[in-house]
Amino acid sequence: MKFNFDENIDRRGTHSVKLEKMKALFGRDDLLPLWVADMDFKSPPAITEALRKRVDHEIYGYTVAPDAYYHSITAWLAKRHGWQVNSEEITFVPGVVKGFAFAIDHFTGKGDKVIIQPPVYHPFRIVTTSLGREVVNNPLLLEEGRYRMDLDGLRSILSQQKCKMLILCNPHNPGGRVWSPDELRELAEICFDHGVFVVSDEIHADLTLPGYRHTPFATVSENAVSNSLTLMAPSKTFNIAGIVSSFAVIPDKKIREQYLSYLEPRELNQGTLFAYTATTAAYEQCGEWLDEMLSYVQGNIDLVDHFLNEQIPQIRAMRPEASFLMWLDCHGLSLSRSELTKLFVDRAHLALNEGSMFGPGGEGFMRLNVGTPRNVLEKALNKLKKAIEG
Ligand SMILES: Cc1ncc(COP(=O)(O)O)c(C=O)c1O
């Protein structure tokens, strides 16, 4: 390997959420942090180099988005995802969560119903309810250890109540599913037929693991592209979440103009100097880093899966098809929610995300972040084993 993912890097003193918020959320700060979804790997050297070069100039004035920024995104989407888009179909947004918050705000009204498919990334629920909209749950179905969308359930919901929007997690967090083109196409048809606008959160798109391929929702049919907007970012992919580098892709002119009519008056589509610099360097130069990182993460997933099978068979890992998050089924431990938290936090000294925060169906699961050096994971697994053995 050209890049070293085994290096243990001390993140203390960098205001990392993973460390600084631990005490507030878990009640103690002596835990191995395996929760919030950023990685403990250094970002690709080409990104650091580009930022350093720009910093060396020492003037950081107002900055326009360079053409190279748009070209780097369109070339990346074409090469990695087979998605042909034009520069004018892309707009900067100051975060994927903010991007869907703006969409909820603009395309729905107070009291309107928004569908999500739990267990799912918790801000889908939190942002929707905070904005005074009603969340309608269409829970995923768990079959043979793998999630699938309940499309019959969705039809049934929509035949009974008017819903305005569906927020899709594509690929899925926390289950790691890479949805198939057929599943997405059927979803697109149902939503189109019932006038449900789709916001597709594709922040994990670049993180498909070996053997899997991401399908952008907007590519599955005419009815998908004419009834959706997509949110993406290089943030998870290249570990640059602190830079804030997200963007929306909206090929449909009418939808784009509507969304921009919300963003532009508030200047929410104005990116920052470092976002443009980091994004361009990432998409132009960091494909090889990404491939190596994903193969390292795959090794981590194999390690966890193997260890649990051999040493802690009461916990079963759902093998992710994308991303560096593993969804651990802990029902075999037969513990209540508070006992499970106590086991991980107070006995094993590990900070993972507790499953019920992701909504119905998440109870009894824990989400483990494996975007960390292998020796950290080995340590964590051994601590867990010891805690279970008492
Ligand atoms: C599905 C999903 N969407 C959005 C985000 C966060 O995006 P941002 O930091 O750009 O708001 C995350 C982070 O974990 C995520 O998993």
Side-chain angles (χ1 to χ4, degrees):
M1 282 218 187
K2 191 165 155 189
F3 305 100
N4 179 11
F5 299 100
D6 282 324
E7 190 184 351
N8 291 82
I9 299 163
D10 189 353
R11 296 183 67 181
R12 284 174 303 175
T14 63
H15 308 288
S16 149
V17 167
K18 215 182 230 172
L19 299 178
E20 303 302 331
K21 286 255 180 116
M22 195 149 68
K23 176 106 178 140
L25 287 166
F26 295 89
R28 50 199 298 168
D29 54 14
D30 58 347
L31 313 175
L32 265 188
L34 300 162
W35 60 297
V36 83
D38 65 19
M39 302 185 284
D40 298 321
F41 309 136
K42 277 187 187 168
S43 293
I47 295 181
T48 306
E49 206 37 57
L51 291 169
R52 192 171 280 143
K53 195 167 154 211
R54 186 60 190 80
V55 165
D56 281 346
H57 185 261
E58 298 183 40
I59 297 177
Y60 318 119
Y62 290 117
T63 305
V64 293
D67 287 345
Y69 164 75
Y70 294 108
H71 293 157
S72 71
I73 297 174
T74 56
W76 179 267
L77 294 183
K79 184 163 174 230
R80 287 267 165 173
H81 305 303
W83 192 13
Q84 310 291 336
V85 301
N86 299 318
S87 295
E88 66 267 20
E89 296 166 8
I90 296 163
T91 177
F92 176 89
V93 285
V96 165
V97 173
K98 294 182 188 76
F100 63 69
F102 303 153
I104 294 168
D105 215 11
H106 191 55
F107 292 105
T108 71
K110 288 251 186 248
D112 279 348
K113 294 180 178 176
V114 176
I115 305 172
I116 63 173
Q117 297 168 298
V120 73
Y121 180 57
H122 48 295
F124 283 20
R125 166 178 50 83
I126 295 166
V127 171
T128 303
T129 51
S130 303
L131 290 172
R133 277 65 169 170
E134 188 183 327
V135 166
V136 175
N137 285 314
N138 178 228
L140 296 174
L141 300 172
L142 186 53
E143 284 175 357
E144 291 169 19
R146 191 169 184 249
Y147 285 118
R148 73 173 174 85
M149 293 189 209
D150 185 3
L151 296 173
D152 289 334
L154 181 62
R155 277 191 197 88
S156 158
I157 287 172
L158 292 174
S159 68
Q160 290 163 34
Q161 47 188 319
K162 176 71 195 148
C163 297
K164 273 289 191 58
M165 179 179 279
L166 179 142
I167 313 177
L168 170 68
C169 199
N170 178 35
H172 187 74
N173 169 16
R177 264 301 312 274
V178 171
W179 306 116
S180 71
D182 284 346
E183 283 172 300
L184 293 172
R185 200 169 297 115
E186 196 176 337
L187 179 76
E189 294 318 302
I190 298 170
C191 289
F192 184 85
D193 289 347
H194 290 86
V196 176
F197 184 69
V198 178
V199 174
S200 188
D201 175 339
E202 305 195 0
I203 199 168
H204 295 277
D206 297 325
L207 295 166
T208 46
L209 292 156
Y212 294 95
R213 191 177 166 88
H214 171 69
T215 304
F217 177 76
T219 63
V220 296
S221 67
E222 271 306 309
N223 287 344
V225 73
S226 66
N227 186 41
S228 69
L229 67 77
T230 300
L231 298 160
M232 303 184 112
S235 56
K236 301 267 169 236
T237 320
F238 301 105
N239 211 22
I240 54 170
I243 289 178
V244 183
S245 53
S246 342
F247 54 91
V249 187
I250 316 175
D252 185 276
K253 190 160 179 273
K254 219 165 107 207
I255 298 169
R256 189 166 67 243
E257 284 175 357
Q258 282 178 10
Y259 193 57
L260 285 173
S261 78
Y262 182 93
L263 300 184
E264 277 176 350
R266 298 164 179 83
E267 298 197 349
L268 295 167
N269 58 329
Q270 306 275 319
T272 67
L273 162 58
F274 294 118
Y276 298 142
T277 307
T279 302
T280 310
Y283 288 149
E284 281 182 351
Q285 300 175 59
C286 301
E288 189 188 1
W289 182 93
L290 174 58
D291 293 336
E292 280 202 12
M293 187 277 284
L294 289 172
S295 107
Y296 187 87
V297 164
Q298 183 66 69
N300 281 356
I301 291 165
D302 293 342
L303 169 85
V304 172
D305 197 22
H306 185 73
F307 188 98
L308 293 178
N309 280 335
E310 298 287 315
Q311 313 271 347
I312 317 178
Q314 308 94 305
I315 302 180
R316 298 190 66 82
M318 194 177 282
R319 286 182 69 88
E321 300 165 356
S323 210
F324 49 84
L325 304 166
M326 284 183 89
W327 195 225
L328 307 182
D329 182 346
C330 302
H331 288 97
L333 291 168
S334 303
L335 297 175
S336 68
R337 183 181 157 184
S338 65
E339 288 167 340
L340 192 59
T341 306
K342 220 178 164 74
L343 169 70
F344 276 81
V345 176
D346 293 325
R347 304 231 307 271
H349 296 171
L350 303 174
L352 277 74
N353 292 91
E354 197 270 316
S356 62
M357 71 189 278
F358 299 93
E363 313 82 9
F365 285 85
M366 299 292 280
R367 195 191 73 174
L368 170 70
N369 181 340
V370 299
T372 194
R374 202 155 294 161
N375 61 70
V376 174
L377 276 184
E378 280 162 355
K379 201 166 147 192
L381 290 165
N382 283 311
K383 276 165 167 279
L384 184 57
K385 181 171 182 251
K386 221 166 132 201
I388 290 172
E389 287 171 354

